[in-house]
Amino acid sequence: METNTKTTPVTAPADDPRTADAVARARAERDRTEQRLFELLRIPSVSTKVEHAGDCRSAAAFLREELADGGLEHAEVLETGGLPCVYADWLHAGDDAPTVLVYGHYDVQPAEPLELWETPPFEPTVRDGSVYGRGTADDKGQLWIHVVALRAMLADGGTLPVNVKVIIEGEEESGSEHLDGFVERERERLACDVVLVSDTHMLSAEQPSIVSSLRGMAYCEVTVQGPAVDLHSGIFGGAVRNPAEALANLIASCKDADGRITIPGFYDDVVEPSADEREAMTKIGFDDDEFRRDAGVSATWGESGWSVYEQIGARPTLEINGMWSGYIEPGAKTVLPASAHAKISMRLVADQDWSRIGDLLERHLQTQAKDMPGVERVTVEPLHGGRPVLVDTTHPAMKAATTALEATFGKPPVFTREGGSIPVVATFTEQLDAPTVLMGFGLPDDCLHSPNEKFSLDQLHKGVETSIAFWHAYADVHDS
Amino acid sequence: METNTKTTPVTAPADDPRTADAVARARAERDRTEQRLFELLRIPSVSTKVEHAGDCRSAAAFLREELADGGLEHAEVLETGGLPCVYADWLHAGDDAPTVLVYGHYDVQPAEPLELWETPPFEPTVRDGSVYGRGTADDKGQLWIHVVALRAMLADGGTLPVNVKVIIEGEEESGSEHLDGFVERERERLACDVVLVSDTHMLSAEQPSIVSSLRGMAYCEVTVQGPAVDLHSGIFGGAVRNPAEALANLIASCKDADGRITIPGFYDDVVEPSADEREAMTKIGFDDDEFRRDAGVSATWGESGWSVYEQIGARPTLEINGMWSGYIEPGAKTVLPASAHAKISMRLVADQDWSRIGDLLERHLQTQAKDMPGVERVTVEPLHGGRPVLVDTTHPAMKAATTALEATFGKPPVFTREGGSIPVVATFTEQLDAPTVLMGFGLPDDCLHSPNEKFSLDQLHKGVETSIAFWHAYADVHDS
């Protein structure tokens, strides 16, 4: 939560003799950079839908080709048991130079509800300096930054001051089910000093930031089974427990009026921020009004006693991501549904364990349901889980990212806590013993996971120059 | 609630010289009766879906032709402003003879969820003596009984002892929106002494029954609006009110743990059954175990202090018919939904007014939502309403129905309260000043509105003979 206090003057990458050529090349190729990105964006690589498995593989093949064409070596599509990963590297900086593993994901969220998109989700369209489409910011546009930066540096016989490996996965939006096993098996190939990820957003276009904390996640699907089949609500209604109503009661039982989660044991392992940390969070420059405007709500609501910034970054949450039961098409149907369903995700903070939290949810719901005669069965199926992460802000690579961002944006970044989850970060910590630098270039209004997702082209191109600056900044800090 | 105490011996319609010929003809034509019914069942006349408007009109045309071919006159498809009504009559019984208006509906409920049907809903299939398909029992198979009975009586120059008018509507399953206006405009054409409806079920195949009470209905669609668009649940979750959760809380607020509806004023106009009526209801022969088996639940649940039979027949209810929000496809999507929706129907008893009850629901939900910052808007849209009905069990036509059922089934019928709603019954009372005899031939396990709806072919053919007997029984009682 510290704001960065580094004061050494930094040189813009275009003016630094070590990076000026690469920046010039990147600037000259901006049109190609955008057009090739749009090609990638046109591939509907929705990992959560099996019918898009072929598209996911097309996106992987496209990236492999682009990396190889850009001067990286050993470019390969690697099987994981699920959707594949793309790998490439450039390892000629010498044994003394550090190794950076760049991580990104080529898969995207489903685009539904389609009718709310102003332009088709898989037809990238530029409006007001941003490209609109599914995956523009999350994460195709952001991973593209490093692909382009490496290409600009390696062109015309150029070199890198650090060793670089690139790994781009295809199951991030569906729980990275096969990545843990893959990273474990490929520990040698992926060995590195630090992981660099651009899959988060900055506080604003004027205020760069680095994420120092990510929430984990436990995502479950809950099914409440009532009668054996859908019944006529006139003939049976009044004497048969309605599973939609039972589900509503179960959901309502998970939180109290103060927005506090009432699942027994839920908060047991939460590391509460210290008074100093809470004080620091008040100075982060987080704008509640802007948050409210971005969300499109007249008032925020969350766990009482915590600021909005803390509610979304430092506190665990429970959200209903989907809910359905009975007749959901237009018109009236007098049915008493046989079952009711909800997708429930809980964002977790250190040291909550997603597997235990899933169990606690299940135990709570089963206990509640015991007092509901006519609820025949409640099942809680875990859909995916991820560990929360706190990043060491004093690591050399964090300092390098700070320098690179300041050099490009003219202002030192602040460290922020982000509500989202990138489960693989914990995997890298455990399997590769490497910390992760979360240097994101998205903006808060990018509509991730929503209709009309966008990514600012200005952020894209500034991101490329930041990436170019980062390699040298990291080599500098590592040498010193 | 009285059980019928008539003891006069009755003659089976096949043995009554006045009806023996018609019965013989109906028996000889059973194959045609079934095949033509199957043709009607193949037409997917789902009135609540606009894309089936053409099918609804095909069903109307089919019935008009069948009625005309069966010897009825003035057979016509009459426009209502929505889906049309089929009309036909036979008015040669003389001015002194009473006039019966037979009412049915050719439209059916949507067939979803399609995957739960053992055979396709619009491909009638006979198994174990029943025909399976959408609309078999509700109401094509039941209205067909009278179409066939009239045909059998009018064939070979036959006559009827009463005047008969037939009206078959096409919007019963979508709220009979245009029927009130139609009946008012066509009051002359539809004038009658009594209305005969077969759209209910008997207690069992061995125990005929006549429904003396129907619940009314107020059906509303509730929408809870939260953020302007679907949001990323990681970035916004924790500080933005989740509309699915808010809807769950609103639904939970409508009933207490005793199953009593907590909407202020909801029970104000309920006419509670007298102690005598409650005593009579215990003797109706209603089988809780069979009800539980039919529903496929291990335990019933409803308003405490009332029997199952009372809960479904004599007490008002509130049921969730449908509920949806956010991401409802397979897999995990971390979305905080913009809105959440529920279809809520309330079955009403005398003297509850559906319009007032809809208003009370809305007021209750709005009051609750006031204490939910971040719920931007709650809308309650009435989808349809119908008045509850109590039928006079001493009316001559009720006695005639009693005689006809006993003659065919060998056992006098009992009077029952049914939980379902047939809103048009109240319309006939008010516009035509005519009571309605609810002589249904369905069975409790017919799966109305559910997958695998069926109608017993034995009930169909016994129904035809009961209908044949009814005309004479009514003429007898009317003359005496």
Side-chain angles (χ1 to χ4, degrees), chain A residues 126-316:
Chain A
V126 176
R127 286 197 299 279
D128 300 330
S130 290
V131 54
Y132 285 79
R134 172 57 84 229
T136 46
D138 180 14
D139 175 45
K140 287 173 176 172
Q142 295 212 59
L143 73 84
W144 197 244
I145 283 169
H146 304 294
V147 174
V148 171
L150 293 168
R151 179 187 184 87
M153 293 194 71
L154 293 172
D156 301 332
T159 61
L160 299 172
V162 294
N163 299 306
V164 172
K165 298 175 177 180
V166 176
I167 188 79
I168 306 176
E169 75 151 316
E171 296 185 337
E172 201 271 347
E173 301 293 7
S174 56
S176 298
E177 185 187 342
H178 298 89
L179 200 77
D180 271 18
F182 174 81
V183 173
E184 196 178 344
R185 283 194 307 278
E186 297 284 351
R187 215 181 288 176
E188 282 292 296
R189 196 197 301 249
L190 302 177
C192 61
D193 296 286
V194 70
V195 182
L196 177 63
V197 177
S198 294
D199 194 20
T200 51
H201 64 81
M202 306 193 343
L203 269 183
S204 72
E206 292 74 40
Q207 179 55 66
S209 53
I210 298 173
V211 173
S212 63
S213 152
L214 281 169
R215 291 194 287 194
M217 168 144 52
Y219 196 121
C220 302
E221 186 162 317
V222 175
T223 299
V224 175
Q225 182 68 44
V229 294
D230 285 0
L231 299 173
H232 187 300
S233 69
I235 295 175
F236 291 92
V240 170
R241 174 84 63 171
N242 185 309
E245 186 185 295
L247 177 63
N249 277 285
L250 290 176
I251 290 172
S253 79
C254 289
K255 238 177 238 181
D256 66 17
D258 289 329
R260 204 171 152 83
I261 294 157
T262 48
I263 298 168
F266 184 85
Y267 291 100
D268 282 0
D269 300 322
V270 171
V271 178
E272 306 239 339
S274 66
D276 282 358
E277 271 191 289
R278 296 197 66 181
E279 172 68 18
M281 282 193 266
T282 64
K283 298 184 177 144
I284 205 81
F286 186 85
D287 186 335
D288 285 13
D289 288 337
E290 196 175 314
F291 176 87
R292 222 167 46 224
R293 275 196 305 275
D294 287 345
V297 291
S298 61
T300 61
W301 184 76
E303 189 185 354
S304 68
W306 301 87
S307 70
V308 169
Y309 183 73
E310 290 169 327
Q311 287 168 348
I312 61 170
R315 299 297 295 168

Side-chain angles (χ1 to χ4, degrees), chain A residues 109 230 331 333-334 343 450, chain B residues 109 230 331 333 343 449-450:
Chain A
Q109 280 276 314
D230 285 0
K333 188 180 176 194
T334 47
K343 293 179 194 275
S450 301
Chain B
Q109 280 276 314
D230 285 359
K333 188 180 178 194
K343 293 180 194 273
H449 296 203
S450 302

